[in-house]
Amino acid sequence: MTSLTAFTVLVVLVALERLAELVVSKRNAAWSAERGGRETGQGHYPFMVVLHTGLLVAMLVEAFVVRPDVPGALAWSMLVLVLAAQGLRWWCISTLGRRWNTRVIVVPGLAPVTGGPYRFFSHPNYVAVVVEGVALPLVHGAWVTALVFTVLNAALLRVRLRVEDEALATLPAPGAGRTTAGGRRA
């Protein structure tokens, strides 16, 4: 198998993983809506979909057109970062459980999640997105795609983080109003 074929397989696997995320997201968004969840920031969502889809297409186009000679050390180190980003992404998804989705939906009365990777920083999923946006194209030397995606994603994240932070600010403080199985306040 050539490195270009292996890279294509990797990108297809990431695309399939994204489709799996969308299935989980849709199910979780319905769960949130059933509990009175409110969506905010719908205006930037189509740009996010186009940007992330464009990343997958652009890196393949760049790799097939440029056909760079990729040093093995670069390819392997970037692959390790891609895998780490996927691990972090799914840690975020599993930590948020039914509350995770690709949109900004908060369920009134539910305190923000503070466990898992959220113990360490506020938006760990976007750390995964940023790392993957650089590392995945660089697995096969798609420098232009990595650079363009990173710049556009930075602009998108400025909007997305503001929207998420404003939505999360409407929720009760972590631990407020929760009770343990024995009925005591947590």
Side-chain angles (χ1 to χ4, degrees):
M1 180 181 319
T2 68
S3 64
L4 189 53
T5 302
F7 181 63
T8 302
V9 169
L10 175 63
V11 173
V12 168
L13 289 173
V14 169
L16 291 172
E17 191 273 336
R18 289 297 172 276
L19 291 174
E21 282 182 20
L22 290 175
V23 169
V24 171
S25 175
K26 186 173 179 142
R27 184 188 68 221
N28 290 348
W31 179 89
S32 293
E34 291 167 3
R35 285 153 184 79
R38 294 180 303 238
E39 182 177 358
T40 57
Q42 299 94 322
H44 72 272
Y45 189 76
F47 180 72
M48 188 171 79
V49 171
V50 168
L51 181 63
H52 285 258
T53 303
L55 169 68
L56 298 173
V57 172
M59 71 180 99
L60 283 177
V61 169
E62 183 177 351
F64 274 91
V65 170
V66 176
R67 296 189 179 267
D69 184 23
V70 184
L74 174 66
W76 286 107
S77 61
M78 292 300 107
L79 180 60
V80 167
L81 288 175
V82 168
L83 295 174
Q86 293 304 319
L88 177 57
R89 180 188 321 280
W90 281 97
W91 187 19
C92 293
I93 292 169
S94 66
T95 298
L96 291 175
R98 299 293 240 145
R99 295 165 69 175
W100 179 87
N101 63 76
T102 59
R103 297 182 176 269
V104 180
I105 303 174
V106 294
V107 178
L110 293 181
V113 172
T114 57
Y118 297 89
R119 283 185 305 232
F120 308 111
F121 38 98
S122 302
H123 300 282
N125 187 66
Y126 299 125
V127 172
V129 169
V130 168
V131 169
E132 182 185 73
V134 172
L136 185 56
L138 292 182
V139 167
H140 205 276
W143 297 94
V144 173
T145 301
L147 179 62
V148 170
F149 177 83
T150 298
V151 169
L152 293 175
N153 191 53
L156 173 63
L157 283 177
R158 284 185 54 134
V159 173
R160 180 72 173 203
L161 290 172
R162 181 183 44 77
V163 168
E164 280 195 17
D165 287 340
E166 288 172 1
L168 290 170
T170 68
L171 298 176
R178 291 186 307 155
T179 56
T180 64
R184 296 188 332 249
R185 289 188 77 71

